[in-house]
Amino acid sequence: MGVKVCKFGGTSLADAQQIRKVAEILAADEERRFIVVSAPGTRPHVSGDRKITDLLLLCHQLAEQGLDIAPAFNRVRERFEGIAAALGVRGVPAWLDEVETQVAAGVSRDWLASRGEYLNARLMAAYLDARFVDATAGIFFRRDGRLNEEKTYSTLAERLRGDGRFVIPGFYGVDPQGNIKTFPRGGSDITGAIVARAVGADVYENWTDVPGILMADPRIVPEAQPIRELTYREMRELSYMGASALQHEAVFPVRDVGIPIHICNTNDPAAPGTWVVRERDVRRTPQVVIGIAGRVGFCLIFIEKAMMNQERGFARKVLTVLETHNISFDHSPTSIDSMSFIISEEELNNKEDEVVEEIKRVTQAEIVEVIHDLALIATVGLGMAYEPGISGRLFGALREERINVRVIIQGASEINIIIGVATADFERAVRAIYRAFITPCA
Ligand code: ASP
């Protein structure tokens, strides 16, 4: 019998009705034995609803400022107690009391943020009659904040041995001192991938409230269809640029061992969803481009100096300035006399003048300037490497819309063409590219 790890996101566990759907999904396939849960998310029918994690983070902020946490914590309490009562799970009020008492005694942000997953996993284990295995017993971080892979995979494999179902809370683990540490937001996806690898799963099912990874952001392209199949690399490019079905770091643990990720919809379990796989046959997909994703909020540092290409150590000097200011950059398009760095605005925040001055000083460049309001759009597809004329089509579509392209980046891998446009042109550009490459019926 095969083994499936199923991670359920916050909207799939937002209330008792959703949780019943989850139970049905699990009952339909006995290979679904390892269940990773998020904290309850927002309920679409409740206006102004908040994610449990957001409420817990609010509690932490209030506690830090010496303010009363009760109003915010009571919302957390009501949610969990309501779900537990509807599902007939006992003991939940006492678990919540425990958390509230600990908060009063002073707890870290990560500890409190993790309680949504912790409580939900205990609740789900009780409801499903499954074994609860806390993430603190199996997910370990190193002192530098990175995952201790060896220890995590071997310990988790040990803890998750045996028959029956196991429920594991997503989003956190422990550091070497035994303190709880969370992954970035949306990090239960990462936990799911780690568990899949630890137990040697055949499939990592990621259950969410969308039909899969869409070919474009539906807020910009309402008719965007789900992508049936894509590779880990294509997935990484798209999710890094904002395609949001899966946290972008979640690919790594499963990619190395080739476990496919199946993104499924809890509200429509029979739908095909999206498969993320190691390799795919590009001839099976009618379009060369499988997805378009983009983000606003970038800027570009442009540096120009005559004969720059012949100067030894030029790039090193600029990179040292960026490093000393703790700035990471996303791309660096260059030409013979100029070099530029695309950086998210947040990275440069408050440091712009200093950084520009310092680059001027160390490089003696003629021009160092920052261009703001840049949006990046990635057009992704493995098949692009084999088909001529792709960039012609892309730029033709933008020309027809009279959109000025500020930067072009094409990595040597040729699975991706990234363009930079003014923020004001962002949505129009995404729509133009979508129309140029993706046929509506695909
Ligand atoms: N609950 C956490 C968040 O809201 C983690 C997750 O759901 O994946 O970010």
Side-chain angles (χ1 to χ4, degrees), residues 38-39 51 53 117 171 185-189:
S38 279
K51 283 176 146 201
T53 310
E117 272 70 12
F171 192 39
R185 292 302 301 267
S188 300
D189 286 342

Side-chain angles (χ1 to χ4, degrees), residues 7-11 37-41 51-54 57 113-114 116-117 170-172 182-191 247:
K7 180 263 168 180
F8 290 92
T11 48
V37 299
S38 279
K51 283 176 146 201
I52 290 291
T53 310
D54 290 333
L57 288 169
S114 73
E117 272 70 12
F171 192 39
Y172 67 92
T182 55
F183 287 109
R185 292 302 301 267
S188 300
D189 286 342
I190 307 173
T191 310
Q247 212 283 350

Side-chain angles (χ1 to χ4, degrees), residues 272-317:
T274 297
W275 283 92
V276 190
V277 295
R278 184 182 271 166
E279 277 168 31
R280 69 181 177 90
D281 181 353
V282 289
R283 286 162 307 194
R284 270 184 17 208
T285 322
Q287 309 100 340
V288 175
V289 167
I290 52 136
I292 298 146
R295 281 200 277 147
V296 297
F298 289 95
C299 60
L300 179 137
I301 304 184
F302 176 78
I303 306 162
E304 189 172 271
K305 187 178 182 190
M307 311 287 281
M308 185 199 86
N309 60 330
Q310 288 182 16
E311 196 175 315
R312 305 280 183 283
F314 189 94
R316 177 183 43 78
K317 289 178 194 159

Side-chain angles (χ1 to χ4, degrees), residues 14 52 153 315 346 412:
I52 290 291
Y153 294 135
E346 275 170 22

Side-chain angles (χ1 to χ4, degrees), residues 65-374:
Q65 293 163 11
L67 300 169
D68 185 13
I69 68 154
F73 195 79
N74 283 341
R75 287 182 69 181
V76 175
R77 188 180 277 284
E78 273 163 30
R79 286 287 294 282
F80 275 115
E81 291 186 358
I83 294 173
L87 299 176
V89 174
R90 287 159 200 262
V92 175
W95 307 341
L96 285 151
D97 290 344
E98 232 172 80
V99 173
E100 202 169 2
T101 317
Q102 299 250 31
V103 181
V107 291
S108 72
R109 175 202 170 275
D110 283 14
W111 186 89
L112 193 46
S114 73
R115 294 305 86 184
E117 272 70 12
Y118 168 80
L119 292 165
N120 214 20
R122 285 188 70 179
L123 193 159
M124 287 297 289
Y127 175 58
L128 298 168
D129 199 15
R131 265 187 272 180
F132 167 75
V133 173
D134 198 349
T136 51
I139 303 230
F140 303 102
F141 291 98
R142 292 183 194 281
R143 213 172 324 171
D144 64 6
R146 285 183 310 145
L147 185 74
N148 183 337
E149 296 186 23
E150 252 165 62
K151 187 172 173 194
T152 296
Y153 294 135
S154 61
T155 316
L156 262 184
E158 192 61 40
R159 299 274 162 152
L160 298 174
R161 194 162 289 164
D163 296 334
R165 289 211 166 95
F166 294 82
V167 181
I168 306 106
F171 192 39
Y172 67 92
V174 273
D175 70 10
Q177 282 77 43
N179 299 317
I180 287 207
K181 179 176 158 49
T182 55
F183 287 109
R185 292 302 301 267
S188 300
D189 286 342
I190 307 173
T191 310
I194 292 170
V195 171
R197 168 135 173 202
V199 301
D202 298 284
V203 183
Y204 168 28
E205 289 185 343
N206 191 286
W207 291 86
T208 166
D209 61 344
V210 289
I213 299 172
L214 299 179
M215 292 176 182
D217 184 336
R219 288 165 301 186
I220 303 174
V221 182
E223 72 273 22
Q225 297 291 309
I227 303 170
R228 285 285 160 81
E229 187 185 55
L230 75 172
T231 63
Y232 301 122
R233 277 168 63 214
E234 291 172 310
M235 165 77 206
R236 169 119 175 94
E237 301 283 352
L238 287 173
S239 58
Y240 183 74
M241 288 300 280
S244 62
L246 195 74
Q247 212 283 350
H248 72 96
E249 291 175 42
V251 167
F252 298 118
V254 287
R255 182 194 65 176
D256 298 343
V257 286
I259 299 170
I261 307 172
H262 189 194
I263 297 173
C264 310
N265 186 353
T266 302
N267 301 319
D268 187 7
T274 297
W275 283 92
V276 190
V277 295
R278 184 182 271 166
E279 277 168 31
R280 69 181 177 90
D281 181 353
V282 289
R283 286 162 307 194
R284 270 184 17 208
T285 322
Q287 309 100 340
V288 175
V289 167
I290 52 136
I292 298 146
R295 281 200 277 147
V296 297
F298 289 95
C299 60
L300 179 137
I301 304 184
F302 176 78
I303 306 162
E304 189 172 271
K305 187 178 182 190
M307 311 287 281
M308 185 199 86
N309 60 330
Q310 288 182 16
E311 196 175 315
R312 305 280 183 283
F314 189 94
R316 177 183 43 78
K317 289 178 194 159
V318 183
L319 291 174
T320 307
V321 175
L322 296 181
E323 190 176 350
T324 47
H325 285 85
N326 198 22
I327 293 171
S328 85
F329 68 92
D330 285 79
H331 302 281
S332 175
T334 53
S335 69
I336 45 172
D337 289 335
S338 78
M339 179 166 222
S340 34
F341 292 89
I342 297 179
I343 296 172
S344 92
E345 292 273 11
E346 275 170 22
E347 289 280 319
L348 198 61
N349 225 349
N350 303 327
K351 301 176 189 162
E352 179 174 333
D353 294 346
E354 260 171 85
V355 170
V356 167
E357 279 317 308
E358 220 166 303
I359 295 177
K360 269 190 195 155
R361 187 170 52 76
V362 299
T363 61
Q364 300 292 308
E366 287 127 29
I367 301 174
V368 181
E369 62 184 16
V370 180
I371 299 164
H372 290 280
D373 269 334
L374 199 68

